[in-house]
Coordinates of all heavy atoms in Angstrom, one line a residue:
Chain B
D222 N 75.2 81.1 161.3 CA 75.5 79.7 161.3 C 74.2 79.0 161.5 O 73.9 78.7 162.7 CB 76.6 79.4 162.2 CG 77.1 78.0 162.1 OD1 77.3 77.5 161.0 OD2 77.2 77.2 163.1
A223 N 73.4 78.8 160.5 CA 72.0 78.5 160.6 C 71.7 77.1 161.1 O 72.4 76.1 160.8 CB 71.3 78.7 159.3
P224 N 70.7 76.9 162.0 CA 70.3 75.6 162.3 C 69.9 74.9 161.1 O 69.3 75.4 160.1 CB 69.0 75.8 163.2 CG 68.9 77.3 163.4 CD 69.8 78.0 162.5
C225 N 70.3 73.6 161.0 CA 70.1 72.8 159.8 C 70.0 71.4 160.1 O 70.0 70.9 161.2 CB 71.3 73.1 158.8 SG 72.9 72.4 159.4
S226 N 69.9 70.6 159.1 CA 69.7 69.1 159.2 C 71.0 68.4 159.5 O 71.0 67.2 159.7 CB 69.0 68.5 158.0 OG 69.8 68.8 156.9
G227 N 72.2 69.1 159.4 CA 73.4 68.4 159.7 C 73.9 67.6 158.5 O 73.4 67.8 157.4
N228 N 74.8 66.7 158.7 CA 75.3 65.8 157.7 C 75.7 64.4 158.2 O 75.8 64.3 159.4 CB 76.4 66.4 156.9 CG 77.6 66.7 157.8 OD1 78.4 65.8 158.0 ND2 77.7 67.9 158.4
I231 N 78.6 63.5 160.9 CA 78.5 63.8 162.4 C 77.5 63.0 163.1 O 77.3 63.0 164.3 CB 78.4 65.3 162.7 CG1 77.2 65.9 161.9 CG2 79.6 66.0 162.3 CD1 76.9 67.3 162.3
W235 N 72.1 59.5 160.5 CA 71.6 60.7 159.8 C 70.6 60.3 158.6 O 69.6 60.9 158.5 CB 72.8 61.4 159.3 CG 72.4 62.8 158.7 CD1 72.3 64.0 159.4 CD2 72.1 63.1 157.3 NE1 71.9 65.0 158.4 CE2 71.8 64.4 157.2 CE3 72.1 62.3 156.2 CZ2 71.4 65.1 156.0 CZ3 71.7 62.9 155.0 CH2 71.4 64.3 154.9
R239 N 66.4 61.7 158.0 CA 66.2 62.9 157.2 C 65.4 62.8 155.9 O 65.3 61.7 155.4 CB 67.6 63.5 156.8 CG 68.5 63.8 157.9 CD 68.0 65.0 158.7 NE 68.9 65.5 159.7 CZ 68.8 65.2 161.0 NH1 67.8 64.5 161.4 NH2 69.7 65.7 161.9
M243 N 61.8 67.8 155.4 CA 62.4 68.4 156.6 C 63.4 69.5 156.1 O 63.5 70.5 156.8 CB 63.3 67.2 157.2 CG 63.9 67.6 158.5 SD 64.8 66.2 159.2 CE 63.5 65.1 159.7
F244 N 64.2 69.3 155.0 CA 65.0 70.3 154.5 C 64.2 71.6 154.1 O 64.7 72.7 154.4 CB 65.8 69.9 153.3 CG 66.6 68.6 153.5 CD1 66.8 67.7 152.4 CD2 67.1 68.2 154.7 CE1 67.5 66.5 152.6 CE2 67.7 67.0 154.9 CZ 68.0 66.2 153.8
N247 N 63.3 73.4 157.3 CA 64.5 74.1 157.8 C 64.7 75.4 156.9 O 65.0 76.5 157.4 CB 65.7 73.3 157.7 CG 65.8 72.3 158.9 OD1 65.1 72.4 159.9 ND2 66.6 71.2 158.7
Q248 N 64.5 75.2 155.6 CA 64.7 76.3 154.7 C 63.8 77.6 155.1 O 64.2 78.7 155.0 CB 64.4 75.9 153.2 CG 64.7 77.0 152.2 CD 64.1 76.6 150.9 OE1 63.0 77.1 150.5 NE2 64.7 75.8 150.1
Q251 N 65.4 79.1 158.0 CA 66.6 79.8 157.7 C 66.3 81.1 157.0 O 67.0 82.1 157.2 CB 67.4 78.9 156.8 CG 68.0 77.7 157.5 CD 68.2 76.5 156.7 OE1 67.8 76.4 155.5 NE2 68.8 75.4 157.3
I254 N 65.4 83.7 159.6 CA 66.6 84.2 160.3 C 67.3 85.3 159.4 O 67.7 86.3 159.8 CB 67.5 83.1 160.8 CG1 66.8 82.2 161.8 CG2 68.8 83.7 161.2 CD1 67.6 81.0 162.1
Y270 N 76.7 83.4 155.7 CA 75.7 82.4 156.0 C 76.4 81.1 155.9 O 77.0 80.8 154.9 CB 74.6 82.6 155.0 CG 73.5 81.4 155.1 CD1 72.3 81.6 155.8 CD2 73.6 80.2 154.4 CE1 71.4 80.6 156.0 CE2 72.7 79.3 154.5 CZ 71.6 79.4 155.2 OH 70.6 78.4 155.3
S271 N 76.2 80.2 156.9 CA 76.8 78.9 156.8 C 75.9 77.8 157.4 O 75.0 78.1 158.2 CB 78.2 78.9 157.5 OG 78.0 79.1 158.9
T272 N 76.1 76.6 156.8 CA 75.4 75.5 157.5 C 76.3 74.3 157.4 O 77.3 74.3 156.7 CB 74.1 75.0 156.7 OG1 74.5 74.4 155.5 CG2 73.2 76.2 156.5
C273 N 76.0 73.3 158.2 CA 76.8 72.0 158.1 C 76.0 71.0 157.3 O 76.1 69.8 157.5 CB 77.2 71.5 159.5 SG 75.9 71.2 160.6
S274 N 75.1 71.5 156.4 CA 74.3 70.7 155.6 C 74.9 70.6 154.2 O 75.4 71.6 153.7 CB 72.9 71.3 155.5 OG 72.1 70.6 154.5
L275 N 74.7 69.5 153.5 CA 75.1 69.3 152.1 C 73.9 69.5 151.1 O 74.0 69.3 149.9 CB 75.7 67.9 151.9 CG 77.0 67.7 152.6 CD1 77.4 66.2 152.6 CD2 78.1 68.6 152.0
E276 N 72.7 69.8 151.7 CA 71.5 69.8 150.9 C 71.2 71.1 150.3 O 71.0 72.1 151.1 CB 70.3 69.3 151.8 CG 70.6 68.1 152.6 CD 71.2 66.9 151.8 OE1 70.8 66.6 150.7 OE2 72.2 66.3 152.3
E279 N 68.8 73.8 151.8 CA 69.2 74.6 153.0 C 70.4 75.5 152.6 O 70.8 76.3 153.5 CB 69.6 73.7 154.1 CG 68.5 72.8 154.6 CD 68.8 71.9 155.7 OE1 69.3 70.7 155.5 OE2 68.7 72.3 156.9
D280 N 71.0 75.3 151.4 CA 72.2 76.1 151.1 C 71.9 77.0 149.9 O 71.4 78.1 150.1 CB 73.3 75.1 150.8 CG 73.7 74.3 152.0 OD1 73.5 74.7 153.1 OD2 74.2 73.1 151.9
Q334 N 83.8 67.4 158.1 CA 82.3 67.3 158.0 C 81.9 68.1 156.8 O 82.6 69.0 156.4 CB 81.6 67.7 159.3 CG 81.6 69.1 159.6 CD 80.6 69.5 160.7 OE1 79.4 69.0 160.7 NE2 81.0 70.4 161.6
G335 N 80.7 67.8 156.4 CA 80.1 68.7 155.3 C 79.9 70.1 155.7 O 79.5 70.3 156.9
F336 N 80.1 71.1 154.8 CA 79.8 72.5 155.2 C 79.5 73.3 154.0 O 79.9 72.9 152.9 CB 81.0 73.1 155.9 CG 80.6 73.7 157.3 CD1 80.6 72.9 158.4 CD2 80.3 75.0 157.4 CE1 80.3 73.4 159.7 CE2 79.9 75.6 158.6 CZ 79.9 74.8 159.7

Side-chain angles (χ1 to χ4, degrees):
Chain B
D222 185 46
C225 65
S226 56
N228 61 86
I231 52 175
W235 189 87
R239 298 292 186 259
M243 187 181 286
F244 304 150
N247 283 340
Q248 184 193 99
Q251 288 150 354
I254 294 172
Y270 173 94
S271 64
T272 73
C273 58
S274 169
L275 293 169
E276 312 312 315
E279 298 179 271
D280 298 335
Q334 67 165 320
F336 234 88

